[in-house]
Amino acid sequence: MNSEISDGLKDLIEGGATPITLAELELRAAARPASAQRHRSDARLGARLPRRPARLAVTGAASAALAAAVALTATSLTGSTVTPSAGPAAILTAAMVRHLASESRLALASAGRAEVTYRDTQAGVVQDYGSDDITFSGENWNDAFSQTLPAAAGQPAETEFAINRIVNGQAYYYIKGQTNKLEWYHDTNPSNHPQVSVPDPRTALAVLKPSARFEVVGYQTIGGIRLEELRATAVSQLPSLGNMPDIQPGEQITSLEVWVDRHGVVHRMSLGLQQTMIVYPLRGIAGKVRILSRGRVRAITLQKIEELLKNSRRHPAQSVGASSGRREVQVTQLTVSFLDIGQRELITVPAHSIPVYALG
Amino acid sequence: MQQTIDAPPRPAFEAFVRDVEPKLRRALVAAYGFEDGRDATAEALAYAWEHWERLSHMANAAGYVFRVAQSRRPRALRHVAFDSTARTEPRFEPGLPAALATLTLHQRIAVVLVHGYGYTLREVAALTGLRPTTVHTHARRGLARLRNALGVSDEL
């Protein structure tokens, strides 16, 4: 009977998903919009906002494609020397503080609050921005966040709000579910819950100091406390972001500032991150568009492109006017404010929640 | 309908896909269902393509790509399902898809890879980042649950 189950499992799985070909990978990689690599931290954060459906700037008519140019991430299998050098997440919130905790070997704070604001631009155009209000106490935490996506590619701007909450190992999400209204959901899946941890601002300065080589920028009073503003003069010496699973390898910190009190406690931290992308346009040719990437030209139908982008569940591609590949810089600016560190917070189970079994 | 005008892909990446794709796809399909699992596999391999220069030097690139697939997959608040209604000649118990869906994510991966395809515990552990003993436990418990759900009563 075991062998029957084994054969059955094999048949079930093999028959349900066909193998992925190299051609499909190439298309998928080529069709990945320049902004596709953002939001990768979302999965870690659980109930992030629904992604804006991918949509092309062109609408299917071949003639329209002649005038349209759709930015694509440059990809190549043929010895590309310039590839996207990775990128800051649009929502680096928890990912970033977790990075700081792990990569910088910062101790983690056991209780308190952290307010995070971020703003993400590409080629100077704002991609999205938002804020997180993270409350944590021991293993419990609550992340109330909002995210705004400006109008782009014919789609209106949208702002959404949601909450991720972990209480005693149980995950709760305050999101718009099938009813399209905000409700609490209880994830009955016991594993793979999102994680949030916040570095202890009381020890952060001492850990960062040797590599950051801070210089004093000035003084500022925040919340009635006079703080010294320090700027890192050696960001290249800061730990790499590349090893975090939800942060793109290669992304670089370009700036780091901290505001510390006279006891050396960090009250605020501001980070800049940057990556350079190579973006290539699509040009329509008699009903097809031609993807230009380094050392490779591929002609496919508009319908196929639309399908690929639709399936990619990513942000819409952006229109660009250039006819050849060009560099675009993605910049994320992130600020973390530490509040009530060490003070226990009450994080409770929502009074009413809808049980669901979330995929881990 | 597409036309390709290009040089052949890098042999090393081709070899990597040949080696990793089946195992990765099977694991992710077991984890997330047919559609999402396949999509996650394709996304992860596309990522590997983009970052091949870096991944090619990794000792366990397959495990890394598996982790990429997990971290990039949009979280979905719904049950995993193995819809096999369209299959014309299934060679498995009719209750198997539903029974498999009742297992935990790790149990599904372990059961499918270990018992379905005969991968070693070490191989599955390397892919998933779990310990071999943990994979063994997931596989054993998963299979027991599967057999129980299918009404198979004989001993393992």
Side-chain angles (χ1 to χ4, degrees):
Chain A
M1 187 62 194
N2 274 351
S3 67
E4 284 181 28
I5 291 180
S6 299
D7 292 343
L9 284 169
K10 200 171 178 177
D11 187 50
L12 173 67
I13 298 298
E14 209 62 29
T18 55
I20 291 150
T21 63
L22 282 166
E24 181 181 349
L25 289 182
E26 183 186 6
L27 279 174
R28 188 178 278 258
R32 190 189 304 276
S35 58
Q37 293 177 9
R38 62 193 74 246
H39 299 296
R40 57 198 166 275
S41 59
D42 294 3
R44 290 275 167 171
L45 288 175
R48 271 292 179 192
L49 304 180
R51 302 276 72 79
R52 186 196 295 259
R55 193 170 296 171
L56 267 178
V58 292
T59 55
S63 58
L66 291 170
V70 181
L72 295 177
T73 301
T75 56
S76 172
L77 282 178
T78 55
S80 161
T81 54
V82 182
T83 55
S85 61
I91 303 172
L92 278 172
T93 57
M96 176 50 69
V97 290
R98 198 162 60 246
H99 159 73
L100 286 169
S102 62
E103 295 288 324
S104 303
R105 296 185 180 80
L106 297 187
L108 297 178
S110 60
R113 279 181 60 208
E115 288 180 352
V116 183
T117 59
Y118 70 89
R119 184 172 179 271
D120 192 44
T121 64
Q122 182 176 321
V125 178
V126 176
Q127 300 294 302
D128 61 325
Y129 55 90
S131 64
D132 289 50
D133 187 348
I134 303 169
T135 310
F136 54 99
S137 187
E139 297 296 314
N140 298 339
W141 56 264
N142 185 83
D143 181 7
F145 56 88
S146 69
Q147 176 189 25
T148 298
L149 304 174
Q155 296 187 63
E158 57 180 308
T159 299
E160 300 242 20
F161 171 80
I163 299 174
N164 290 341
R165 181 178 294 182
I166 297 287
V167 183
N168 300 327
Q170 298 293 307
Y172 302 89
Y173 308 123
Y174 189 60
I175 57 173
K176 286 181 180 176
Q178 292 183 338
T179 59
N180 203 32
K181 65 177 182 180
L182 284 168
E183 290 179 295
W184 280 106
Y185 290 85
H186 174 206
D187 181 359
T188 56
N189 185 344
S191 59
N192 294 301
H193 292 154
Q195 296 176 346
V196 163
S197 54
V198 176
D200 193 329
R202 295 167 292 195
T203 57
L205 182 64
V207 175
L208 292 171
K209 215 169 186 175
S211 53
R213 296 183 204 160
F214 287 111
E215 65 176 9
V216 178
V217 176
Y219 295 87
Q220 199 172 348
T221 300
I222 299 175
I225 302 172
R226 187 169 187 263
L227 302 175
E228 189 177 40
E229 184 180 355
L230 305 174
R231 178 188 299 147
T233 60
V235 290
S236 63
Q237 301 301 315
L238 294 175
S240 164
L241 297 176
N243 293 328
M244 291 298 292
D246 46 5
I247 296 180
Q248 288 291 316
E251 69 184 7
Q252 296 179 334
I253 296 178
T254 54
S255 67
L256 168 67
E257 287 184 49
V258 293
W259 286 256
V260 298
D261 63 19
R262 61 193 177 94
H263 303 294
V265 176
V266 175
H267 286 241
R268 179 184 291 179
M269 180 181 290
S270 178
L271 283 151
L273 298 106
Q274 183 173 305
Q275 79 167 135
T276 301
M277 308 288 294
I278 307 296
V279 234
Y280 284 79
L282 290 177
R283 308 185 79 183
I285 307 169
K288 292 182 180 179
V289 290
R290 188 173 56 182
I291 298 172
L292 305 173
S293 66
R294 296 181 64 82
R296 182 171 293 261
V297 178
R298 179 180 281 279
I300 60 177
T301 62
L302 290 170
Q303 187 182 6
K304 184 65 182 175
I305 294 278
E306 279 188 317
E307 188 182 309
L308 282 166
L309 290 181
K310 184 180 176 185
N311 292 336
S312 76
R313 301 174 183 174
R314 304 296 187 187
H315 280 261
Q318 293 180 329
S319 297
V320 293
S323 59
S324 60
R326 69 182 202 189
R327 291 173 181 270
E328 286 193 357
V329 177
Q330 286 190 344
V331 175
T332 294
Q333 195 64 38
L334 184 94
T335 301
V336 185
S337 298
F338 301 97
L339 305 163
D340 306 328
I341 294 301
Q343 182 174 314
R344 290 187 65 80
E345 303 281 347
L346 186 60
I347 301 167
T348 59
V349 173
H352 303 287
S353 60
I354 301 165
V356 291
Y357 187 90
L359 299 178
Chain B
M1 183 65 183
Q2 51 188 263
Q3 172 191 352
T4 306
I5 312 165
D6 54 20
R10 291 181 200 174
F13 183 78
E14 278 188 325
F16 174 75
V17 172
R18 270 199 307 274
D19 179 44
V20 168
E21 188 274 340
K23 186 165 49 180
L24 187 67
R25 170 171 44 86
R26 290 159 185 166
L28 292 170
V29 166
Y32 305 125
F34 295 138
E35 193 179 335
D36 285 358
R38 191 182 186 282
D39 189 57
T41 309
E43 278 293 297
L45 289 174
Y47 174 94
W49 180 321
E50 291 177 71
H51 301 86
W52 178 241
E53 200 166 334
R54 181 170 169 273
L55 264 70
S56 62
H57 300 297
M58 289 185 179
N60 183 15
Y64 186 86
V65 171
F66 180 81
R67 205 170 54 174
V68 167
Q70 288 189 308
S71 65
R72 289 179 151 229
R73 191 186 59 81
R75 192 179 181 87
L77 286 170
R78 57 189 168 92
H79 289 278
V80 65
F82 300 94
D83 183 9
S84 58
T85 51
R87 306 279 284 279
T88 52
E89 291 181 3
R91 289 177 292 174
F92 48 80
E93 286 274 327
L96 183 61
L100 184 62
T102 64
L103 307 188
T104 67
L105 181 141
H106 285 134
Q107 285 175 348
R108 287 196 300 274
I109 294 174
V111 162
V112 165
L113 293 188
V114 174
H115 293 296
Y117 288 93
Y119 289 105
T120 65
L121 297 177
R122 193 181 293 268
E123 281 178 292
V124 179
L127 182 73
T128 58
L130 301 173
R131 292 197 193 99
T133 50
T134 308
V135 175
H136 175 66
T137 303
H138 285 311
R140 182 171 51 79
R141 290 182 179 173
L143 184 61
R145 276 179 70 174
L146 207 54
R147 291 162 58 84
N148 188 49
L150 293 172
V152 181
S153 58
D154 50 323
E155 293 298 315
L156 293 176

